[in-house]
Amino acid sequence: MEGFFSTYGAAIVQMALAGVLALSLYLPLMAGQLSLASPGFYAVGGYVAALLSTQVFTGYPNGSYPIPLIALEMIVAGVISAIFAILIGIPSLRLRGIYLALATIAFVEILRVFALNQPWLGGAVGIYNIPQPFFSATRVEYLLLALPLLLGATLFVARLERSRIGRAFIALREDELAASAMGIRPTYYKVLAFTIGAILAGMAGALNAHILNTWNARQGTFDLAILILAYVLVGGSRTFLGPVIGGAFLVALPEIILREVAGTPGLNPVIATFLRDGRLILFGVLIAVSVFFFPYGLITPNLFKRRKKSAEPSVETATAAPKVSRGEL
Amino acid sequence: MSEAIVLEVRHITRRFGGLYAVDNVSFAVQRGEIFGLIGPNGAGKTTLFNVITGMTPPTHGELFYEGINITNKRPHEIAMLGVARTFQNIRLFGTLTALENVMIARHIHTKSGVLEGVLGLPPAPQEERAVRQRAMELLELVGLAEAAEMQARNFSYGDQRRLEIARALALEPKLLLLDEPAAGMNQNEKSALSAFIRSIREQFNLTIVLIEHYVPLVMGLCDRIAVLNFGQLIALGAPEAVQNDPAVIEAYLGE
Ligand SMILES: Nc1ncnc2c1ncn2[C@@H]1O[C@H](COP(=O)(O)OP(=O)(O)OP(=O)(O)O)[C@@H](O)[C@H]1O
Ligand SMILES: [Mg+2]
């Protein structure tokens, strides 16, 4: 067990963070909005943590940086991301479909170039020597922070999905015009979903700044947006479980599973080499295949309903039943 | 403005390019009446509904609901004032269950925010129970209670129309706009629907504006009828008077 964690601890932490980032993209998608802005908020969160821990909360010897301070940084990162999200969301969420996606990519790119050129953000080098709370080479201890963040985010979204606000989001996704005819204010709820997603991304960035020990303009770029999108599309875009499992699975796939399989003794060396070096190709194929065959991802709400359904009357009898009472209408 | 008038349409025009979909139409709907809106295909009936509900801005003219100028209001604002509608080309939340469809329409009558909902703090749990119960009652009213957990898109055409009515009623509207509610129903269903519309008017104190092609239904049900043709109002009055109006006969025969 110890060997497992020392080998895979860091990967498991990244699986958890991927789940949180996937949820941050899933939230606006719940309200029907394809936003690729998550890496931008993730970058903002990372810089917030990097600045606070290297310039404000100084004086702690490396290896003993207090965990509550990291939690506080995550909260500050969430608040600042939320402010950014509201400012950006109000104008850009009036755009639809691909135009919104493009606007959010532009936001991510502007942030990157901005960070690159700001001396107070460390320019191209970024901010380094971000203090660590643990003496550890494997960083598996970061699970103590990453898992609660993932768990909290997952429970939050799971509960939200079944609440009044979550239903308003979903109504907008299903049919914006019909939702507005039901008194649901489209812009308000789109900005709200976008903002909650931004908070999650900002918190993930703050945590990862400590894990990586350094933060710079290469964190939270367009590439990451595509990865996060893949987590959601492969995992599932119609239930909170989809992004969480998609994120964990797609991070684990190259990091753990393929490496493990490639190391099987007696495996044909050509296959082993391909599994090791060609894993990103496999990864890409997997995304393409799953999006093609499972438009709502691998995890769908019906997975949990099917069993119940078979016990219920079939579609025909269920509609036939009310017809009997139709005369009373 | 008189208390008796619920909706006033004043010189409403809506142009699409060179096409006058609605052309200088004026009328007033009285409180409690069932007001029919008829006319040949493409006459502008649905466009007029879209204008009234804020979904299509008018090119000219003004709209008053309960004495309030709603001409430039957004759809959700108009819904919040008490105007609900159904859609000719059914717009249910297809992948959601019937129950969820109706629950969503309780939005304006509940107020739990994000934290109340997520943490289960008051008033969220009570609201949730009440919303569910109210939604079930409305499904029962339209005869769909047994199918509450079924996905809306799996319903038959007629049942989808009934579900849209239940969803609209969940808003507790004062003015209900029905766009071809009988389309796709058989003869028996149509006459049942007629009785149903009358009964919900009584039960919920509604004023109803109804678009319908099926003339017997309109004639038997409506207190007054307005006839549109090529966007223009060509007749307005009691069913018998409209039925015998030469301009109306001309519009229908000329099709
Ligand atoms: N968004 C739009 N853009 C352009 N033209 C439109 C638009 N909506 C409606 N029209 C046109 O306006 C006219 C009126 O259409 P509308 O749907 O209001 O008619 P209707 O009376 O409801 O007809 P039906 O009985 O077939 O439902 C039609 O000629 C239609 O093609
Ligand atoms: Mg129409």
Side-chain angles (χ1 to χ4, degrees), chain A:
Chain A
M1 202 63 187
E2 239 161 64
F4 175 81
F5 274 118
S6 61
T7 313
Y8 298 120
I12 295 172
V13 169
Q14 292 306 319
M15 284 163 68
L17 286 178
V20 177
L21 285 173
L23 284 172
S24 83
L25 190 147
Y26 172 75
L27 271 157
L29 207 56
M30 215 170 135
Q33 307 306 302
L34 176 58
S35 153
L36 297 177
S38 292
F41 301 116
Y42 169 80
V44 168
Y47 277 112
V48 168
L51 288 173
L52 285 177
S53 61
T54 58
Q55 294 180 20
V56 182
F57 308 139
T58 52
Y60 298 98
N62 198 22
S64 65
Y65 189 76
I67 288 178
L69 279 187
I70 297 186
L72 178 63
E73 290 165 23
M74 286 164 68
I75 292 168
V76 175
V79 170
I80 293 179
S81 296
I83 294 167
F84 265 85
I86 293 166
L87 293 178
I88 294 158
I90 290 171
S92 61
L93 287 165
R94 295 183 189 280
L95 302 170
R96 276 161 206 273
I98 194 72
Y99 299 102
L100 173 64
L102 288 173
T104 52
I105 289 170
F107 159 68
V108 170
E109 196 55 19
I110 289 167
L111 270 185
R112 187 183 71 84
V113 174
F114 177 81
L116 212 49
N117 292 295
Q118 293 301 307
W120 60 284
L121 295 177
V125 179
I127 299 170
Y128 47 92
N129 279 343
I130 296 172
Q132 300 292 302
F134 317 107
F135 290 107
S136 160
T138 59
R139 301 191 170 154
V140 62
E141 293 88 345
Y142 272 110
L143 274 176
L144 293 176
L145 287 160
L147 280 186
L149 177 62
L150 175 66
L151 213 69
T154 307
L155 284 177
F156 185 95
V157 178
R159 295 272 308 171
L160 184 70
E161 231 165 52
R162 295 168 178 282
S163 74
R164 169 177 179 265
I165 306 288
R167 277 197 299 269
F169 291 171
I170 293 169
L172 284 171
R173 179 189 74 198
E174 292 287 310
D175 187 332
E176 183 174 334
L177 198 68
S180 68
M182 299 304 126
I184 293 167
R185 218 164 115 193
T187 309
Y188 178 84
Y189 286 102
K190 287 182 200 171
V191 172
L192 184 59
F194 183 70
T195 303
I196 301 172
I199 293 172
L200 293 184
M203 293 177 92
L207 179 54
N208 215 17
H210 283 276
I211 296 172
L212 297 178
N213 196 17
T214 173
W215 202 255
N216 55 47
R218 283 185 300 282
Q219 311 301 327
T221 58
F222 176 66
D223 299 10
L224 181 62
I226 298 307
L227 282 180
I228 300 173
L229 185 62
Y231 302 157
V232 178
L233 293 183
V234 172
S237 55
R238 294 295 166 120
T239 156
F240 68 95
L241 275 178
V244 173
I245 292 174
F249 176 65
L250 287 185
V251 169
L253 184 72
E255 289 297 324
I256 298 180
I257 300 170
L258 294 183
R259 191 197 296 175
E260 201 65 19
V261 174
T264 313
L267 190 71
N268 181 325
V270 177
I271 296 177
T273 309
F274 178 72
L275 285 178
R276 232 180 308 254
D277 303 334
R279 60 191 194 204
L280 285 178
I281 298 174
L282 287 179
F283 188 88
V285 169
L286 188 78
I287 293 171
V289 166
S290 68
V291 168
F292 191 78
F293 289 105
F294 307 95
Y296 293 150
L298 296 173
I299 314 285
T300 61
N302 287 345
L303 279 185
F304 311 102
K305 283 181 188 159
R306 189 156 298 154
R307 194 163 300 194
K308 219 174 83 193
K309 263 222 169 121
S310 61
E312 278 171 15
S314 72
V315 171
E316 284 73 27
T317 47
T319 38
K323 284 199 180 95
V324 180
S325 59
R326 202 156 283 158
E328 298 158 20
L329 272 183

Side-chain angles (χ1 to χ4, degrees), chain B residues 8-232:
Chain B
E8 194 180 352
V9 175
R10 283 193 203 160
H11 304 292
I12 286 291
T13 294
R14 172 66 213 203
R15 261 197 347 247
F16 292 111
L19 174 80
Y20 283 77
V22 178
D23 189 358
N24 196 20
V25 169
S26 301
F27 59 82
V29 179
Q30 308 287 317
R31 187 174 307 283
E33 77 177 330
I34 298 181
F35 186 95
L37 195 56
I38 67 171
N41 285 329
K45 306 179 295 292
T46 298
T47 303
L48 188 55
F49 266 23
N50 290 343
V51 170
I52 294 168
T53 52
M55 294 174 182
T56 303
T59 314
H60 296 293
E62 286 183 313
L63 289 161
F64 289 85
Y65 165 76
E66 297 282 7
I68 305 163
N69 188 334
I70 58 165
T71 316
N72 296 312
K73 287 204 188 298
R74 312 280 314 276
H76 70 269
E77 296 172 315
I78 293 170
M80 286 172 79
L81 288 173
V83 181
R85 70 172 291 180
T86 65
F87 296 88
Q88 180 177 2
N89 53 339
I90 300 170
R91 299 189 78 133
L92 288 163
F93 307 118
T95 68
L96 306 185
T97 65
L99 186 66
E100 288 168 324
N101 267 275
V102 183
M103 286 174 78
I104 284 169
R106 296 296 295 163
H107 186 83
I108 61 173
H109 296 288
T110 45
K111 53 181 195 296
S112 314
V114 172
L115 289 183
E116 288 97 336
V118 167
L119 301 176
L121 301 172
Q126 297 89 317
E127 278 188 356
E128 197 69 13
R129 267 196 303 278
V131 162
R132 191 169 288 271
Q133 189 188 339
R134 184 76 196 117
M136 274 313 289
E137 286 167 10
L138 288 167
L139 285 177
E140 220 145 285
L141 183 79
V142 299
L144 293 174
E146 289 98 310
E149 295 297 336
M150 218 170 77
Q151 267 190 349
R153 62 172 173 199
N154 292 335
F155 280 65
S156 73
Y157 207 57
D159 285 349
Q160 292 197 6
R161 294 214 175 276
R162 254 181 287 277
L163 180 53
E164 268 212 341
I165 294 177
R167 186 178 67 170
L169 288 174
L171 278 168
E172 292 177 27
K174 280 185 273 182
L175 175 63
L176 177 62
L177 311 178
L178 302 172
D179 197 342
E180 302 202 15
M185 292 187 178
N186 66 34
Q187 216 57 249
N188 287 340
E189 290 176 327
K190 277 179 180 165
S191 49
L193 181 77
S194 190
F196 176 68
I197 291 173
R198 226 179 263 118
S199 81
I200 57 172
R201 166 174 65 173
E202 304 309 321
Q203 192 176 344
F204 300 104
N205 284 320
L206 291 171
T207 303
I208 296 174
V209 182
L210 173 93
I211 296 177
E212 187 50 63
H213 272 298
Y214 184 62
V215 175
L217 184 109
V218 181
M219 293 299 159
L221 181 60
C222 297
D223 302 308
R224 284 193 306 149
I225 293 172
V227 187
L228 288 185
N229 193 26
F230 294 115
Q232 292 178 333

